[in-house]
Every structure is written in structure tokens, then in C-alpha cells.
Amino acid sequence: MGLAAVALAGSGAVLVDQFGRMLGRRSAERESRNPEVLIEAAPAAALDTVTVAVRGYTAAPRSETVLFNLLAGFLGSFALVRLSTWGIRDRWGPFRNVSFRGRHIHHFVPGILIAFTSGTVALLSDDDELEQRLAVPMGAGIGLTFDEAALLLDLRDVYWTREGLLSVQLSLGATAILSIAILTQRMLRRGERQGEQEGLIPPGGDHLSHATGANL
């Protein structure tokens, strides 16, 4: 559960950082960092952040987009399944175990099916856009499968034991979190440059200082 929280917090931190950058641009444009000015500039900065994210995502190379979708699906399913299993164990929320004819269905089963199905469809498809989108369910399937890596490797249900909690899923999850954070930063910086060139967001500090110097 802790790793799932870290994954969500990491994603949020990247977006908050980008929002702070956009807010800084908006406040520099108004030549004031007064709290009232920052509050007034916040909605525009939020819109700038969305614009940068969209521009960065659409301008990314195909391989980078596929990797981002794969990691997003992986971390999303990883966080969701950790939350749901925690709810099942502590008996809160709508989460319940799934059984078929008295046999408990572990979530690596749908995980394998989702990953295999999306991967097969992607191989058979000639649509590049569809292939990029299929990376999301494929990553989700991989996340569901690797979340129970200890069970698959040891063939015993060690999910809530020390052995299970400290299994390879920790290193895989940490690697995925770090990777998607770096990848998101790359996309946002690319989107920031493109948005600035297209005049969709205010120029950065360097441009403002040059403009101020020219006016002087």
C-alpha cells in the first residue's frame, strides 16, 4: 500500500512542480509575486499546465508515448489493486474477493489475460494510434501480474507475508515510478517549449529578462 501511495504522490509532485513553473511565468508576466496576484494567476497557470501536458504528450516520439502509456497503466493498476486488496483484508469499501466455483481467482489471472490480449491485438493491428493506446491496458495487465510475483515465483500465497511484501514487486514498482517521473518531466519540458513557441503560454524568465533589458 505504501508503494501505491508513493506512486500517486510522485505523479502528483511532477504536476505540482509544473503548475509552479507556470504560476511563476504568469506572475513574472505581471511583474509581481504578491499573494493576490498569484491567486488571480492560478486558474491561468492551471490551464497552462494542461496545455503543456497535452502538447508534450502529442509531440512525443511514438516510442516515448508507448513507454509512457505502458508505465501509466502499470502504476495505475498497481496502485488500484493495492488499494482494493487492502480494503478486502480490512473489510472496508466495496472491494471483495472474486471466486469461481469455490476457487479464489487471484488478480494475476485477469492481468495475464489483459496483457496477452492487448499485446496480440497490437501485433495484429496496422493502426499506430491504436497500438499506442493498447499500451495502457497492457501495462495494467503487467501491473496486475507482477503485483503477485511472489505467489507466481514461490507457488504459495505469500501476498500478505513479509516475503511477499518485500518481493520483486518493490523494485519493479520503484523503477516504474522513477521511470515515469523522468518521462513525464521530458514530456512536460517539451510541451513547455512548444507552447511557448506557439504563444500559448507566457515566455520564460530568460525571454522576459531580455525583453525588459531591450525596453530599458
Side-chain angles (χ1 to χ4, degrees):
M1 184 60 192
L3 190 59
V6 171
L8 295 175
S11 301
V14 173
L15 293 176
V16 169
D17 174 68
Q18 186 62 41
F19 172 75
R21 290 173 61 88
M22 295 298 97
L23 188 60
R25 285 177 180 247
R26 286 291 177 179
S27 62
E29 185 182 42
R30 302 185 185 193
E31 299 182 354
S32 173
R33 286 189 175 272
N34 186 289
E36 294 181 357
V37 173
L38 292 176
I39 293 173
E40 291 177 0
L47 184 59
D48 290 343
T49 302
V50 174
T51 300
V52 165
V54 172
R55 283 291 185 277
Y57 182 83
T58 55
R62 179 180 179 278
S63 58
E64 196 170 300
T65 302
V66 170
L67 182 58
F68 177 86
N69 289 347
L70 191 70
L71 290 170
F74 177 89
L75 286 175
S77 67
F78 191 91
L80 180 60
V81 77
R82 277 286 162 177
L83 178 65
S84 63
T85 50
W86 186 32
I88 291 171
R89 187 184 67 163
D90 292 347
R91 300 183 181 280
W92 58 266
F95 309 109
R96 297 292 182 272
N97 280 319
V98 177
S99 300
F100 180 72
R101 294 183 178 179
R103 182 181 295 274
H104 173 62
I105 305 299
H106 289 273
H107 49 264
F108 73 78
V109 176
I112 292 173
L113 292 175
I114 292 171
F116 279 13
T117 301
S118 55
T120 302
V121 173
L123 287 172
L124 297 175
S125 172
D126 292 327
D127 188 337
D128 287 345
E129 186 175 349
L130 176 61
E131 292 173 9
Q132 293 177 26
R133 292 178 179 177
L134 285 170
V136 176
M138 186 170 187
I142 294 172
L144 291 172
T145 304
F146 273 99
D147 185 60
E148 293 197 304
L151 169 61
L152 292 171
L153 291 173
D154 204 44
L155 299 181
R156 290 186 295 113
D157 193 350
V158 294
Y159 192 84
W160 288 111
T161 65
R162 180 178 178 82
E163 181 182 357
L165 292 174
L166 296 179
S167 66
V168 293
Q169 56 195 219
L170 292 177
S171 58
L172 287 170
T175 302
I177 292 170
L178 181 61
S179 299
I180 198 170
I182 295 172
L183 200 56
T184 303
Q185 286 280 10
R186 283 170 55 89
M187 286 186 171
L188 290 174
R189 295 298 175 268
R190 183 185 295 111
E192 197 171 320
R193 290 193 299 270
Q194 186 169 340
E196 186 175 321
Q197 291 171 0
E198 296 176 6
L200 298 175
I201 62 174
D206 293 340
H207 293 79
L208 287 174
S209 61
H210 291 330
T212 304
N215 291 333
L216 292 175

